[in-house]
Amino acid sequence: MGAEGIRVEGLEREFKGGIRAVDGIDLEVAPGEIYGFLGPNGAGKSTTVLMLVTLLPPTGGRATVAGFDVVKQGPQVRRMIGAALQEAALDDFLTGWEHMDLQGGLHGLSRKESRARGGELLERVGLVDAADRKVGGYSGGMKRRLDLALALIHRPRVLFLDEPTTGLDPQSRSALWGEVERLAREEGVTVFLTTQYLEEADVLAGRVGIIDRGRIVAEGTPSALKAEIGRVSLEAIPSRSEDRERLRAALAPFGKPAAHSPRGEAVRLSGGAEQLADVVRALDAARIEVAELQLHQPSLDDVFLEKTGRSLEGSDDSDAEAPEPAAA
Amino acid sequence: MSGSTAQVARAVLRRTTIHTYKNPAIIVPALAFPLVFLVAFAGGLSAVSSVPGFDFAAGYTAFQFVFVFLQMSAFGGIFSGYRLAEDFESGFARRLMVAAPQRLGLIIGYTLAGLVRFALIGVILWVLALATGMQVLGGVLDVLGIVALGALVSAACALWSIGLALRYRTVDIGSFMQTPIFVLLFIAPVYVPLVLLSGWIHSAASINPFTLLLDAARGFITGEPVKVIAAFAAALGILALMWVWATSQLRRAERAVG
Amino acid sequence: MPGEPHLARQIALIAGRSVSRTFRQPELIIPVILFPLILLAVNAAGLSSVTQLPGFPTDRYINFAIVVCFIQGALFASITAGTELASDIQKGFLDRLALTPARRWAVLVGATFGGTSVAIVGTVIYLAIGLIFGVTISTGIPGAVLLVALSIYVALAFAGIGSWLAVRTGSPAAVQGMFPLIFVLFFLSTMNLPAEFIEKDWFRTIAQINPISFLIDGMRSLIITGWDLGELLPCIGVATAMIVLFYGLAARAMRQRVQRT
């Protein structure tokens, strides 16, 4: 493992009252890789990030970031990393530039260096025009972009992004994705990204770790994980919603239930796509009128369902304003 | 009062009373502040009564008690408007506005809630003051006179704050409810009788209606009532004015809610 | 590779941010300045007749009362400092700072500058208004300078209480909720009358051991009595002890709050 990656062995964090938020996880992230850490709210994602960025001591196991031990070499780790933690903690009464000067100064940049580097970063995240305005007037997307720029001011080699796009509109999300991708590809920055959006992990991450209840339940490239599930799933939406029960019964013989379908039913076809004709005949025989019938390639949500028995979206209890990911 | 007005008033009163009953801690600051003032003023400043020209038969504790009692009455009333503003923020008051056919019940209910709080804290204050040796030279009627003035102050302040709550519907307005009342209460003969005041405060206190109430209530506690009719007339006049203020804000709010 | 900046620069950066942020919120500053002045106006006028009591140290009550403004300004400033720090904790800004090489001490001290600078502005305004309305300082200009310096020192001491409460609770509401207690301590002091004029024994006893009385009496002596080390040294001593105690507690709470490795 290169000096600029992440290595985690048996990492644990137990809180008061015996709650094990992180319950022994192992993972490795190669330099320049984007690692997606995927899981529902409360799965232990943020706790893991806090330990890796040295803000929370682990209660067990060990971890090195950029070759430094997160417990014994906190200051060295912090020098090598940048982090944009949840909710982009910015000061509403300061301007973008003032944030830049503060952050750059505290990282030991001279005012001149800080200005040069800050200007470059503000340019890159498209905030040059807004940089003299107070952050209180920024949109959610602008705040996240400023947060990202601030995290990069001291040229970190490892970047931690904790739910960087939660609550953002689709345009802001893809703008942020583009920048993160560029950082990894062109500058070789290692990125550790947590998300509860399958699409985000799918689009961005070279490898994905799925965490549930403090444990990693699956790990690999998105395509390998999906291949492990293998089979396509079929989703049917009845014309009349009262037919859903009967639809479920009619589909049951063709395979196990697949990840949730908001308005219909889905099964993972045990015999593959060739079964499609049989399904249509069965629905016809049962006189169930179908408004939509679709075949889906396996998604990360299917992987999550397979490994945990629950659907990722179904278990998501975050605020309703979060955009619904266009999963699978 | 029509049946539905009374029903709305009762619903509001029941709700706020239950709230206080379930969270007795919320009256602690309301009680603690008058007590601190009483201790600080009556206990700490008693030497003031030795100032030449200070003449008050019942002693300095009684002199200050009257002020603290009326101050508590005022702030007990302001609590009504604060609760209404809170209820607007939580959506309860808006639901009432939409559902209640007789919205005057809203004003009456919150005013009564303030009076209940006034009565509760008032009783505790009297008991504590008497238990620690405050002299009352007046009789039962005189004490009732003080309590009646307190109730009128409380109701008037309740209507003042309810009007503001109806207008702005946010608890941020809380300090604006309190500050003018606070200033009015202190531009008065708080520490010494009016005759011992001089300069600007003498002029300002002379025209402050609260001075009239304070003098009358202090007269009662010494058993030598003074300016009784003028004080009650002033209190009732202010109450009427505040009623007009609160109801006009209610109509304004009705237009906004529809 | 950039490293840790000099400690003085860390404090300057964090203090600069604290001051800019505070002065961009006029609703934080105006009450702090106005409220003590209103109380001064009301108390100085309402209690002016107590100067007729035999042996009262001054014949102008405003000379006696002005110091209360300084201490109140300091107290309000500390509420501001505490609330601001607590909201930084609540919103995660403290984590942002903790991820830089900045020392915990620099964060703690820097964050008090906003509140303290409000107290400085307040002190100058109170003094100017006091002088306009007839305050006479018996120690002259050097005494006035020392008075302002002491006032700032006391504001720093109170800001220590605010910071400690902020770091301990991490909640702005909790910080504000604790301050009525300190207010009570205020009233049980020599703020309105000298100790020997307090008639009730228990009240006098409390006022005489109340640390706030030492602060008030020391600063008051500069205005009324002249240079009196017997009053000044206890005042400086109490303020210093508060600074040591509360910043010590705040630093300890900070180590628990920021468990940075």
Side-chain angles (χ1 to χ4, degrees):
Chain A
M1 183 61 54
E4 289 170 359
I6 301 168
R7 181 196 295 258
V8 175
E9 288 162 20
L11 196 67
E12 285 175 19
R13 176 69 209 195
E14 188 174 319
F15 287 108
K16 275 184 208 135
I19 301 152
R20 294 172 86 84
V22 174
D23 195 6
I25 62 171
D26 304 276
L27 59 87
E28 280 190 17
V29 184
E33 184 181 24
I34 301 180
Y35 187 88
F37 206 42
L38 183 68
N41 273 346
K45 301 190 300 284
S46 294
T47 308
T48 306
V49 170
L50 283 176
M51 288 191 282
L52 294 181
V53 301
T54 77
L55 290 186
L56 183 71
T59 48
R62 58 188 301 269
T64 57
V65 173
F68 297 109
D69 187 290
V70 297
V71 176
K72 298 189 196 103
Q73 296 169 297
Q76 290 94 321
V77 172
R78 284 192 291 279
R79 204 159 298 150
M80 298 298 287
I81 64 169
L85 301 182
Q86 266 185 46
E87 303 303 331
L90 300 168
D91 186 332
D92 279 352
F93 294 96
L94 297 189
T95 67
W97 264 120
E98 286 168 335
H99 277 90
M100 225 22 122
D101 292 341
L102 176 68
Q103 189 110 355
L106 290 178
H107 274 294
L109 271 65
S110 73
R111 192 165 162 79
K112 210 175 128 203
E113 288 167 330
S114 187
R115 282 269 141 174
R117 174 76 177 149
E120 187 186 306
L121 288 168
L122 288 168
E123 169 99 50
R124 198 191 289 161
V125 297
L127 286 176
V128 172
D129 294 335
D132 283 318
R133 297 209 316 261
K134 282 184 219 158
V135 166
Y138 283 21
S139 69
M142 290 162 82
K143 286 184 181 174
R144 298 298 176 94
R145 267 147 48 208
L146 177 60
D147 197 15
L148 177 65
L150 290 171
L152 295 171
I153 189 139
H154 56 300
R155 300 181 192 276
R157 299 308 300 155
V158 182
L159 183 63
F160 289 89
L161 302 172
D162 195 4
E163 304 210 358
T165 63
T166 298
L168 293 192
D169 60 81
Q171 286 95 324
S172 305
R173 291 170 87 194
S174 51
L176 210 89
W177 290 347
E179 182 54 29
V180 171
E181 207 156 33
R182 197 199 62 78
L183 277 166
R185 198 181 55 242
E186 290 178 15
E187 301 187 13
V189 174
T190 309
V191 180
F192 187 94
L193 163 118
T194 80
T195 181
Q196 40 178 321
Y197 300 139
L198 296 154
E199 190 195 0
E200 190 155 285
D202 215 350
V203 168
L204 218 47
R207 268 183 328 124
V208 173
I210 296 180
I211 182 170
D212 185 48
R213 294 176 182 157
R215 289 170 181 277
I216 290 185
V217 292
E219 199 189 36
T221 64
S223 49
L225 284 171
K226 285 184 279 192
E228 205 181 302
I229 305 295
R231 296 174 295 272
V232 294
S233 64
L234 174 136
E235 181 187 10
I237 296 165
S239 307
R240 293 183 302 272
S241 54
E242 59 269 28
D243 282 345
R244 267 183 85 160
E245 280 302 313
R246 298 203 303 123
L247 177 65
R248 184 180 309 162
L251 291 177
F254 296 96
K256 284 201 281 186
H260 90 303
S261 158
R263 290 176 298 132
E265 295 298 328
V267 285
R268 183 157 306 119
L269 296 175
S270 48
E274 300 83 65
Q275 283 181 303
L276 187 58
D278 297 334
V279 172
V280 173
R281 273 192 290 275
L283 293 180
D284 205 32
R287 292 171 190 263
I288 299 169
E289 207 173 298
V290 174
E292 244 177 83
L293 196 63
Q294 276 184 307
L295 280 178
H296 294 296
Q297 292 306 311
S299 69
L300 281 173
D301 197 18
D302 292 311
V303 178
F304 192 81
L305 179 76
E306 179 81 13
K307 300 291 181 184
T308 68
R310 287 174 296 127
S311 167
L312 185 58
E313 264 116 71
S315 62
D316 176 18
D317 58 354
S318 69
D319 58 344
E321 283 164 50
E324 189 68 22
Chain B
M1 198 191 296
S2 76
S4 48
T5 302
Q7 275 164 12
V8 175
R10 261 207 305 279
V12 170
L13 183 59
R14 195 182 311 121
R15 181 182 144 87
T16 47
T17 313
I18 289 173
H19 185 81
T20 309
Y21 180 75
K22 283 188 178 160
N23 309 283
I26 66 167
I27 72 156
V28 169
L31 184 62
F33 267 99
L35 283 179
V36 168
F37 274 116
L38 189 60
V39 167
F41 292 171
L45 293 172
S46 57
V48 171
S49 61
S50 315
V51 169
F54 195 109
D55 178 26
F56 193 73
Y60 199 68
T61 303
F63 185 83
Q64 277 303 340
F65 173 80
V66 171
F67 173 76
V68 169
F69 178 75
L70 290 179
Q71 187 200 30
M72 178 283 290
S73 310
F75 284 96
I78 291 171
F79 162 80
S80 297
Y82 195 77
R83 271 315 301 268
L84 177 57
E86 266 183 354
D87 284 345
F88 266 117
E89 289 200 341
S90 74
F92 173 80
R94 205 191 135 82
R95 279 204 304 282
L96 266 185
M97 289 281 288
V98 172
Q102 265 298 345
R103 291 160 184 162
L104 274 186
L106 214 69
I107 294 184
I108 296 168
Y110 281 97
T111 306
L112 289 178
L115 285 173
V116 167
R117 189 179 163 99
F118 153 76
L120 190 70
I121 299 171
V123 167
I124 301 175
L125 214 54
W126 273 102
V127 168
L128 285 175
L130 291 171
T132 52
M134 179 180 73
Q135 290 187 67
V136 179
L137 302 179
V140 174
L141 262 182
D142 294 308
V143 170
L144 285 179
I146 300 173
V147 172
L149 283 173
L152 289 172
V153 167
S154 193
C157 289
L159 290 170
W160 154 253
S161 62
I162 287 169
L164 282 173
L166 285 167
R167 190 179 179 103
Y168 296 103
R169 294 183 218 168
T170 159
V171 291
D172 296 345
I173 203 68
S175 63
F176 193 62
M177 292 174 181
Q178 291 174 25
T179 310
I181 305 283
F182 193 85
V183 171
L184 211 61
L185 290 181
F186 274 90
I187 300 181
V190 176
Y191 307 106
V192 292
L194 188 60
V195 289
L196 288 180
L197 293 179
S198 56
W200 72 272
I201 196 153
H202 184 271
S203 327
S206 303
I207 54 165
N208 183 352
F210 182 66
T211 301
L212 212 53
L213 303 189
L214 200 54
D215 285 351
R218 279 175 180 157
F220 282 130
I221 211 161
T222 53
E224 293 164 9
V226 289
K227 304 177 187 167
V228 175
I229 294 172
F232 274 96
L236 287 168
I238 296 169
L239 186 65
L241 210 65
M242 288 303 138
W243 174 260
V244 171
W245 154 253
T247 48
S248 74
Q249 293 311 313
L250 178 67
R251 276 192 295 279
R252 198 188 133 101
E254 278 172 340
R255 282 197 299 277
V257 173
Chain C
M1 178 66 59
E4 183 188 334
H6 193 276
L7 193 62
R9 178 143 192 253
Q10 297 178 22
I11 294 176
L13 283 162
I14 295 165
R17 176 243 169 188
S18 169
V19 172
S20 320
R21 173 184 161 82
T22 307
F23 281 87
R24 285 171 195 178
Q25 299 177 79
E27 70 275 18
L28 285 183
I29 303 168
I30 291 165
V32 175
I33 310 272
L34 276 188
F35 195 70
L37 288 174
I38 292 175
L39 277 181
L40 175 69
V42 166
N43 277 350
L47 282 168
S48 64
S49 59
V50 301
T51 54
Q52 295 168 32
L53 292 172
F56 199 82
T58 173
D59 52 8
R60 277 201 206 127
Y61 191 72
I62 195 171
N63 278 344
F64 187 79
I66 182 95
V67 170
V68 177
C69 280
F70 296 152
I71 310 266
Q72 256 165 2
L75 178 64
F76 289 141
S78 74
I79 301 178
T80 306
T83 313
E84 290 274 288
L85 184 55
S87 89
D88 271 355
I89 292 169
Q90 202 173 46
K91 291 183 180 149
F93 204 85
L94 189 67
D95 281 344
R96 171 181 298 287
L97 298 179
L99 279 168
T100 70
R103 302 278 178 93
R104 292 185 183 94
W105 260 104
V107 173
L108 199 59
V109 172
T112 62
F113 270 70
T116 309
S117 59
V118 176
I120 294 173
V121 172
T123 301
V124 172
I125 293 177
Y126 307 143
L127 191 64
I129 289 184
L131 290 172
I132 291 168
F133 283 92
V135 167
T136 47
I137 298 172
S138 64
T139 48
I141 292 172
V145 172
L146 181 60
L147 196 60
V148 171
L150 267 180
S151 180
I152 294 164
Y153 194 56
V154 168
L156 262 174
F158 275 107
I161 303 182
S163 307
W164 171 51
L165 290 175
V167 182
R168 189 72 209 272
T169 64
S171 144
V175 172
Q176 300 205 331
M178 298 294 266
F179 271 93
L181 288 177
I182 299 174
F183 235 91
V184 170
L185 215 58
F186 232 105
F187 278 111
L188 297 176
S189 72
T190 54
M191 78 179 246
N192 282 328
L193 284 179
E196 58 272 25
F197 283 78
I198 298 172
E199 292 176 342
K200 298 250 168 24
D201 289 338
W202 64 269
F203 197 114
R204 190 173 56 247
T205 310
I206 294 176
Q208 278 171 332
I209 56 170
N210 185 342
I212 291 178
S213 298
F214 289 95
L215 301 176
I216 291 177
D217 293 348
M219 290 166 76
R220 199 173 261 163
S221 71
L222 284 173
I223 299 174
I224 297 178
T225 31
W227 298 102
D228 181 353
L229 284 182
E231 296 281 2
L232 278 179
L233 289 180
C235 168
I236 296 169
V238 165
T240 307
M242 281 172 70
I243 287 179
V244 170
L245 174 67
F246 291 112
Y247 284 97
L249 286 170
R252 207 176 68 174
M254 194 75 166
R255 273 195 298 276
Q256 282 170 3
R257 170 74 56 188
V258 181
Q259 298 188 341
R260 190 169 82 170
T261 56

